[in-house]
Amino acid sequence: MHAKESVVIRPARNFLGSIRVPGDKSISHRYAMLAALAPGRSRFENYSPGADCNSTLGCVRALGCAVEREESGAVVIDGIGSQLHAPQSALDCGNSGSTMRMLSGIVAAQPFTSELIGDESLSRRPMKRVMEPLREMGAEIFANNDCAPLQITGTTLQGITYRVPVASAQVKTCLLFAGLLAEGQTTVEEPTPTRDHGELALRAFGAEVIRSRNSVSITGGQALHPLDAFIPGDSSSAAFFLCAAAIFPESNLVIDGVLLNPTRSALLDVLTAMGSRVSVLNIEEQHGELVGTLSLVPGRAKPVEISGAQTALLIDELPVLAATAPFGAGLVVRDAGELRVKESDRLTAVTRNLEAMGAQVEQTADGWRIPGGQKLHGAEIESFGDHRIAMAFAVAALRAEGDTLIHNSECVAISYPGFFGDLEKLLER
Ligand code: S3P
């Protein structure tokens, strides 16, 4: 991570224009990991420029694959097949929970011991959710109070049927990757649906994956082929601009080439329920993923409640929805306890920062109640080193009175290094 930086966000008069966002983080991680297991050369255009996806590339390299980033940003990976090489040093997952959890499923099937390490924030995040099922499949894992560093001694894994206790696409994907390399069949049952990029990526690389309403199965021992793909724009990055457009009465926003996977587009339903007019144009399918153009014009604000399965599908978009909620007609979020174990405790981080801006907000055990029709003032914002908190409050600051200073703003590089520049391009002052 870069040295600590702060950025000043000045209020804007309007939010207008057309933009593309960088490649999707969830898909980039999965494609890179599967490329390692697919003998031959894979190439990904628009691979996420974020530090998290770079951590995945570092790990893939450490496991024996040649990885190159072309000047265009495209990533080329020479996969070596299901048997990777023992790393010479610890696999550094940086700030990336996705890297640590999903890669665990792959190294658990290798005939060597790997150590997975992360930064301070990642070393506090719960890993038991992948350790338990991987142990059940046969891996030996040591951890520090169920947190990183993880020491994983791989083996010939045995397929299992596993019901994931808390909805998590990272856990599901970890087990599908482990299942691909295991003996027999692995079935993952989910309490509520989560993003399905793991399933779609496995299919794109040639594996057969069987899906039913609440479960996904994979048979071990299938060979993958390499993939050439253009990675769609990250819908969770697009969320910051969509929420910005939604709070300016005269705004007009177009986002091209953005991921429209239904397990990632719940925000569009919420913004529509809140009164915005969202249109989807030119939908195309690319390797199982839907991609297209989005446009948003605002409308009369309406209150919204989010809970249950919808909360799980919106998990990465909740910080920006909450940070902009005071300008709308009110928001209630329930069942979002998982936000406490993200890169920061996002329930507390959002509450503190909204309060610093003068907003009324009630934090509950698993969500917030945020009244609408509020006026916010500029303030000093603490990102808690969490990229989504920094970006969410940069958006809220656009409609505040006075300037806002966002501390530790460098963390946006985790998912979106060019965020502040792109935000600026859409502003009218
Ligand atoms: C992700 C799943 C979610 C999400 C994270 C990316 C993924 O985490 O918050 O940013 O790519 O599978 P959980 O699996 O912990 O819900």
Side-chain angles (χ1 to χ4, degrees):
M1 185 56 58
H2 308 109
K4 297 219 179 304
E5 288 166 15
S6 297
V7 61
V8 176
I9 307 285
R10 288 187 295 123
R13 264 195 309 129
N14 203 358
F15 197 80
L16 287 173
S18 157
I19 195 148
R20 282 178 175 269
V21 289
D24 189 70
K25 184 157 95 68
S26 291
I27 297 177
S28 295
H29 283 302
R30 287 161 171 85
Y31 280 5
M33 290 184 201
L34 292 178
L37 302 174
R41 177 161 287 191
S42 288
R43 185 169 178 275
F44 307 125
E45 282 178 56
N46 207 35
Y47 185 89
S48 165
D52 269 11
C53 292
N54 212 36
S55 294
T56 289
L57 293 182
C59 293
V60 162
R61 201 177 276 126
L63 288 162
C65 301
V67 177
E68 211 190 296
R69 220 184 238 276
E70 294 176 355
E71 221 165 277
S72 66
V75 165
V76 177
I77 300 178
D78 287 322
I80 52 183
S82 56
Q83 292 252 337
L84 301 175
H85 300 165
Q88 299 301 303
S89 55
L91 297 169
D92 189 352
C93 304
N95 188 245
S96 173
S98 297
T99 306
M100 187 168 282
R101 296 195 179 119
M102 302 196 294
L103 198 65
S104 293
I106 293 175
V107 297
Q110 304 299 324
F112 49 76
T113 297
S114 311
E115 189 186 12
L116 282 75
I117 59 170
D119 69 6
E120 206 195 317
S121 149
L122 181 55
S123 304
R124 280 195 305 265
R125 297 181 63 189
M127 293 298 145
K128 197 170 169 186
R129 49 187 70 193
V130 292
M131 288 161 54
E132 275 187 349
L134 290 175
R135 279 179 179 148
E136 217 179 288
M137 294 177 85
E140 201 179 293
I141 309 182
F142 292 102
N144 176 18
N145 276 328
D146 297 331
C147 291
L150 304 183
Q151 230 180 44
I152 304 184
T153 301
T155 186
T156 305
L157 299 176
Q158 301 301 316
I160 56 169
T161 294
Y162 188 76
R163 188 174 169 77
V164 180
V166 177
S168 164
Q170 291 173 354
V171 174
K172 172 176 62 175
T173 304
C174 162
L175 298 180
L176 291 175
F177 287 180
L180 172 75
L181 304 172
E183 283 185 347
Q185 182 167 296
T186 296
T187 299
V188 187
E189 295 170 3
E190 300 192 90
T192 64
T194 60
R195 62 190 73 187
D196 62 356
H197 307 301
E199 298 88 308
L200 297 177
L202 279 159
R203 282 185 182 161
F205 280 85
E208 196 189 346
V209 175
I210 300 164
R211 304 172 70 171
S212 69
R213 235 174 65 83
N214 302 319
S215 73
V216 197
S217 301
I218 189 162
T219 302
Q222 301 183 60
L224 302 183
H225 59 62
L227 178 71
D228 266 16
F230 186 95
I231 298 182
D234 193 318
S235 39
S236 301
S237 299
F240 297 102
F241 301 140
L242 290 167
C243 288
I247 57 174
F248 283 90
E250 304 288 315
S251 71
N252 191 335
L253 174 70
V254 174
I255 308 183
D256 282 319
V258 67
L259 178 70
L260 293 170
N261 178 318
T263 63
R264 291 288 297 287
S265 42
L267 179 71
L268 308 183
D269 301 332
V270 172
L271 290 172
T272 304
M274 285 175 151
S276 292
R277 274 194 291 135
V278 179
S279 319
V280 176
L281 306 161
N282 315 320
I283 300 195
E284 252 182 67
E285 192 193 311
Q286 294 173 6
H287 306 289
E289 296 286 3
L290 297 182
V291 190
T293 300
L294 276 177
S295 80
L296 185 143
V297 288
R300 220 166 75 92
K302 297 181 205 136
V304 162
E305 294 199 12
I306 298 168
S307 64
Q310 200 181 25
T311 298
L313 290 176
L314 280 166
I315 201 73
D316 291 340
E317 289 71 60
L318 291 173
V320 66
L321 267 174
T324 50
F327 305 112
L331 174 72
V332 176
V333 175
R334 298 196 185 86
D335 306 316
E338 271 293 295
L339 288 182
R340 296 207 187 275
V341 290
K342 294 292 179 190
E343 287 84 327
S344 69
D345 172 349
R346 288 181 174 163
L347 289 178
T348 302
V350 166
T351 306
R352 290 235 194 113
N353 286 322
L354 276 178
E355 283 171 349
M357 296 180 85
Q360 228 192 69
V361 47
E362 184 194 337
Q363 187 182 170
T364 61
D366 63 353
W368 307 275
R369 290 174 177 280
I370 305 171
Q374 304 192 54
K375 281 201 159 61
L376 269 51
H377 55 72
E380 289 197 31
I381 295 298
E382 177 49 60
S383 73
F384 298 93
D386 183 334
H387 55 133
R388 297 204 197 280
I389 298 299
M391 293 188 277
F393 281 89
V395 171
L398 300 176
R399 287 262 348 242
E401 247 169 60
D403 293 354
T404 293
L405 181 65
I406 301 186
H407 292 297
N408 296 339
S409 55
E410 74 291 341
C411 61
V412 301
I414 288 296
S415 60
Y416 195 164
F419 172 75
F420 292 113
D422 285 354
L423 185 72
E424 201 62 36
K425 286 183 207 150
L426 295 165
L427 299 179
E428 208 174 76
R429 285 224 159 87

